[in-house]
Amino acid sequence: MSDTIASLKLTKWQAVRNSQIQKPGFKTPDVLVFCPKGKYSGLFIELKTESPYKLNGGLKSNAHIQEQFKTIEKLRELGYYADFAWNFKDIVSLINRYLNEKL
């Protein structure tokens, strides 16, 4: 996996194992809801401390954010609801709307 261990201090062997199971170029989102609802196969949310978007609506040029967005796009192509979220209230609302099929 990718960001599931982003803040952890890994031992050498843990880091080796993580690199073996992590798919190159795929940044696993932070919140995963494996419950099909409506037209979606599941919900994936990449949590941020602030918006990953510029004021004009474009994505910020940070390389890590760009890679995460590629993963979000891939998940969308596969039939998942996937997006960034950065405000606790909005995150809870998104999960509730998804689980109640109001997307």
Side-chain angles (χ1 to χ4, degrees):
M1 302 296 259
S2 178
D3 287 349
T4 55
I5 59 164
S7 299
L8 299 178
K9 177 80 170 147
L10 301 178
T11 66
K12 178 182 176 182
W13 305 114
Q14 289 170 325
V16 167
R17 179 66 180 133
N18 183 59
S19 68
Q20 291 172 340
I21 63 173
Q22 179 175 284
K23 182 178 178 184
F26 190 88
K27 304 292 183 190
T28 305
D30 299 305
V31 176
L32 315 170
V33 178
F34 296 109
C35 180
K37 289 290 180 175
K39 65 180 183 177
Y40 299 108
S41 300
L43 171 66
F44 292 79
I45 306 172
E46 180 58 46
L47 302 176
K48 297 295 180 207
T49 57
E50 61 184 36
S51 173
Y53 299 102
K54 299 176 191 176
L55 293 177
N56 68 5
L59 198 61
K60 291 181 180 175
S61 60
N62 177 293
H64 186 67
I65 290 173
Q66 295 285 334
E67 287 299 315
Q68 290 173 326
F69 187 70
K70 287 179 189 175
T71 296
I72 287 171
E73 287 180 318
K74 179 66 175 171
L75 289 165
R76 289 174 178 170
E77 290 171 11
L78 293 171
Y80 294 96
Y81 188 95
D83 210 346
F84 290 108
W86 54 93
N87 175 298
F88 181 77
K89 193 174 175 182
D90 293 339
I91 295 164
V92 171
S93 176
L94 172 60
I95 294 168
N96 285 332
R97 282 194 330 267
Y98 177 80
L99 292 175
N100 292 307
E101 299 184 56
K102 299 197 191 260
L103 294 175

